[in-house]
Amino acid sequence: MSELYTLTKDFCNVIFSKNPTKLDEWINAAQKYDIPELQTFINGIKKDITAVKNGIIYSYNNGLAEGSVNKIKVIKRVMYGRNSFELLKAKVLFGELFHIKFN
């Protein structure tokens, strides 16, 4: 259990290190342990290693866009069957303009 805790802590340090070569070192160290869940996690990282390394290097993310999309979807669900597209458009634009929480 302590080894898994150490690996988890090391992975956190790798993610915030801004050094993608440390990820390869961590993967090599973690593969030595015979923990099925850990091996599944490592295989998932390996499938998209370029994206994971870019996530370590760059501080960009799409959180702002995802938040806006989520707000629009919530408004759309609340308004389902109520009225027209024009009302939906007005409500979304009004919410973005004044940052008002709906319902």
Side-chain angles (χ1 to χ4, degrees):
M1 192 68 155
S2 65
E3 292 136 357
L4 185 59
Y5 176 77
T6 304
L7 279 173
T8 306
K9 197 168 183 144
D10 290 343
F11 182 74
C12 185
N13 290 335
V14 167
I15 294 297
F16 292 106
S17 70
K18 302 290 184 192
N19 186 356
T21 57
K22 288 185 178 182
L23 180 65
D24 296 325
E25 296 168 9
W26 182 86
I27 289 174
N28 291 334
Q31 283 180 332
K32 295 176 185 171
Y33 296 98
D34 190 29
I35 303 170
E37 293 82 5
L38 183 62
Q39 298 308 317
T40 303
F41 180 70
I42 292 169
N43 290 336
I45 290 174
K46 283 182 173 181
K47 283 182 183 177
D48 206 6
I49 192 79
T50 305
V52 175
K53 286 184 177 182
N54 284 338
I56 292 172
I57 295 170
Y58 303 111
S59 62
Y60 306 119
N61 65 43
N62 62 345
L64 187 61
E66 291 294 328
S68 295
V69 168
N70 190 32
K71 279 191 251 179
I72 291 170
K73 285 183 177 184
V74 168
I75 293 170
K76 183 178 164 186
R77 281 187 209 111
V78 168
M79 290 188 58
Y80 178 75
R82 297 228 176 137
N83 211 324
S84 65
F85 176 73
E86 293 302 318
L87 181 63
L88 174 64
K89 179 180 166 185
K91 198 166 188 176
V92 168
L93 292 175
F94 185 77
E96 289 297 315
L97 184 63
F98 296 106
H99 301 288
I100 293 175
K101 183 179 177 183
F102 293 104
N103 296 336

